[in-house]
Amino acid sequence: MRVNVIIPVFNRLEHTRRVLEALRRQTLVDALTIVVINDGSTDGTAEYLKSQGDVVEIRGDGNLWWGGAIEEGLKYVLPSCQTEDYVLFLNNDTWFGEHYVETLVQTSRANGDAAVGSVIHEEGRDPPLVSIGAKLNVNRLAVWDLLSELSEAEKRSPSGQYCVDALSGRGTLYPAHLFRRYGGMRPYLLPHYMADYEIAMRFARAGVPLVVSSKAIVYSPPVYGNDASRLSWRKRLFGRRSPHNVFQRLIFYSLVGSPLQRISAPIRMAYFSCSRAFSTWRSLAKRKEETI
């Protein structure tokens, strides 16, 4: 059994050093193949990776984005994968304890070759748990974190595992045979955000359980990749780095769900976007009246 770890990186060398150090401390370290996709870094990442004998570096030109980088990693590892092997998606701004990979593998096996995600603990936060996994209402085009449904007591002492509707790329283990059976990433359609959700939901439609283990913890700094608070409204709605990109969301909802949901996605997206914009405008107008 081998676990093929795929890590897309763009600069942030200090994070790459830290995640590799965490991988080298794993109880299953001898079973790991570490593949780093360096997508055009300019901060010394290439020189550092070249000196790491236990890391395979794949270089991009800066235009792969997350989905394209993961796909390049899959192209490298899948030809040599055996039936019992796994693929682990990781971001480089994460770190974890020594039993992390072993916990993911055990959870997958205990749940019938499930895809297994990680909970996120934020550095310096109390309670530290900030994300469990995605819940979706495809009809209403709504996404939220399962964490919001938990009581304050459960947030401090979560259950052993949870079922979710989609899995992120911040620490998710997949049985390798799933990619051969159901395909890999779709970087031309979803180059960055929501590419991780789409592939997880594709596997789920085929009957693969999507599970998150609360014992599989990835630690992250206070602000990680999906923060769009400082973007202009134009980049927030249309920028490739934004999780709110309207075109990417439209493509995503056109790929997931039932056949009827896929066909009706553009109409529903237009309706709910207008409805939510109007609701926000009414709230702001009411607040303004109250201050006069």
Side-chain angles (χ1 to χ4, degrees):
M1 183 273 292
R2 295 207 63 78
V3 178
N4 300 278
V5 186
I6 300 178
I7 312 173
V9 305
F10 175 71
N11 290 330
R12 304 192 301 180
L13 175 56
E14 69 281 5
H15 290 316
T16 301
R17 291 179 186 271
R18 190 170 192 175
V19 72
L20 291 180
E21 289 170 1
L23 287 169
R24 288 165 178 152
R25 292 193 298 268
Q26 293 302 296
T27 54
L28 292 182
V29 63
D30 292 337
L32 301 184
T33 298
I34 305 172
V35 180
V36 175
I37 298 84
N38 173 20
D39 193 23
S41 297
T42 57
D43 64 347
T45 292
E47 291 76 12
Y48 168 73
L49 292 175
K50 189 176 180 180
S51 68
Q52 306 305 299
D54 59 344
V55 176
V56 175
E57 180 193 15
I58 298 174
R59 294 195 184 185
D61 61 1
N63 294 303
L64 288 175
W65 299 89
W66 188 87
I70 290 290
E71 182 65 12
E72 290 302 308
L74 289 172
K75 288 178 182 178
Y76 178 84
V77 303
L78 288 178
S80 60
C81 280
Q82 304 300 310
T83 305
E84 70 276 11
D85 291 348
Y86 294 90
V87 173
L88 172 59
F89 294 172
L90 275 179
N91 282 8
N92 72 336
D93 58 343
T94 57
W95 61 96
F96 31 80
E98 63 183 6
H99 296 283
Y100 172 68
V101 176
E102 184 178 0
T103 299
L104 291 171
V105 171
Q106 291 176 346
T107 304
S108 178
R109 290 174 172 172
N111 288 272
D113 271 353
V116 185
S118 310
V119 296
I120 299 174
H121 283 200
E122 186 177 290
E123 189 177 39
R125 188 183 180 103
D126 182 33
L129 181 62
V130 294
S131 176
I132 293 176
K135 300 291 287 184
L136 285 91
N137 184 322
V138 178
N139 280 327
R140 297 184 64 84
L141 285 72
V143 182
W144 65 97
D145 199 288
L146 179 60
L147 181 70
S148 65
E149 300 179 5
L150 270 55
S151 66
E152 290 303 314
E154 191 171 358
K155 289 177 182 178
R156 291 187 175 275
S157 182
S159 299
Q161 64 183 45
Y162 296 91
C163 293
V164 294
D165 296 329
L167 294 167
S168 80
R170 299 184 65 79
T172 295
L173 183 83
Y174 292 103
H177 66 82
L178 295 179
F179 299 99
R180 288 175 172 165
R181 187 173 302 176
Y182 304 113
M185 309 306 295
R186 293 170 170 170
Y188 296 107
L189 294 174
L190 292 171
H192 202 56
Y193 286 108
M194 311 201 88
D196 49 359
Y197 284 9
E198 188 278 325
I199 196 164
M201 294 178 74
R202 195 189 323 156
F203 294 160
R205 289 196 301 275
V208 178
L210 304 185
V211 176
V212 174
S213 171
S214 63
K215 296 180 180 179
I217 302 169
V218 296
Y219 300 92
S220 284
V223 177
Y224 43 90
N226 59 357
D227 179 55
S229 59
R230 297 184 179 181
L231 299 178
S232 66
W233 69 267
R234 180 176 282 106
K235 289 185 177 180
R236 184 181 176 87
L237 293 178
F238 306 110
R240 188 167 286 186
R241 292 187 180 275
S242 172
H244 308 289
N245 181 300
V246 293
F247 296 119
Q248 296 301 295
R249 292 179 69 83
L250 176 58
I251 291 171
F252 169 74
Y253 284 111
S254 298
L255 291 172
V256 302
S258 68
L260 180 59
Q261 288 171 328
R262 298 179 200 180
I263 294 171
S264 63
I267 297 173
R268 288 184 293 112
M269 187 168 180
Y271 170 78
F272 285 114
S273 295
C274 292
S275 176
R276 289 163 185 162
F278 180 69
S279 178
T280 301
W281 176 81
R282 285 188 62 184
S283 297
L284 292 174
K286 185 177 180 180
R287 196 177 306 166
K288 186 176 181 180
E289 288 177 0
E290 292 173 350
T291 58
I292 295 177

